[in-house]
Amino acid sequence: CRRAMPESVAKVLAALPFALETSQAEVQGPVVKVKYEALGESNPLGYVDRLGFDGYAVTWADESKGMAELEALQARGVELISTLYTYRSIARALPTVSGDDGMKKKMYAASFEVLHPHISRIKALMYFKDEVVTQFCNNMALLVPQDARKRNDDVRIPCEGLQLALISALDVVVLLDSLKDTKACLNNDFSTYKRAFAAVRGDVPNAERIQQENNLLHPFLAHKQKLLTELKSAVQKVAGYDEVLTA
């Protein structure tokens, strides 16, 4: 509510030959505050504004698409890092299989049911490896022609944002490899999982697909630095990769 005006002030205002209050319209409207926040490391919208310039010769249009892809890939990699870091052995908590054939099959079936979702997460890491190698090489190839033209064109330079996105993706790969190689429980759980699957394979839906995935997962877990090794081999097949790495 409005505060009451002192009586002396009211008398003075009443004696004035003109009115202080006016009903004249405001010439300028209210000022709206604009909040701006600069995010240098990532773009939460995935650079979707680039879609409005399709068909135009926009500088770094392909690079911005690659940055969005790599940032999404990095976010998934961080989730896998958390999964591996917090992973604990499941096989050690399972009871030893014993008894007659019927009891053994029931115990193997229970072990398979317990281990399957955890082994599926490890398989997600294996498929992530294929995706990150493909995305890394495809986006690295975008820097090669730019780097080659840099000597003749001082304006056209490599996209720094794409370079940073590649470095961030590489950092995720290094962390995933290190965690995978230091977690001996991954191999132990997978060995127990394979034994349980072999005992109940006839009762498992999509058994052929699971067997194929197991055949791929075994060498993936057995070899050290599997992600870095395949990434290095794929990068060396990119024409002009050495110029990008030495830029």
Side-chain angles (χ1 to χ4, degrees), residues 4 19-20 22 32 43 58 61 113 115 119 123-124 134 142 148 151 157 164 186 190 202 205 211 214 221 232 235:
L20 294 179
T22 177
V32 180
N43 189 306
V58 181
E113 184 178 357
L115 285 170
I119 299 301
K123 292 177 180 179
T134 301
L142 296 176
R151 292 183 293 270
I157 60 176
L164 293 175
L186 298 178
F190 181 56
Q211 182 61 48
N214 292 345
L221 294 177
K232 179 180 178 181
V235 165

Side-chain angles (χ1 to χ4, degrees), residues 193-210:
Y193 174 80
K194 287 194 300 181
R195 287 195 298 270
F197 172 71
V200 299
R201 179 173 180 175
D203 302 328
V204 176
N206 302 322
E208 291 297 330
R209 179 180 60 83
I210 294 177

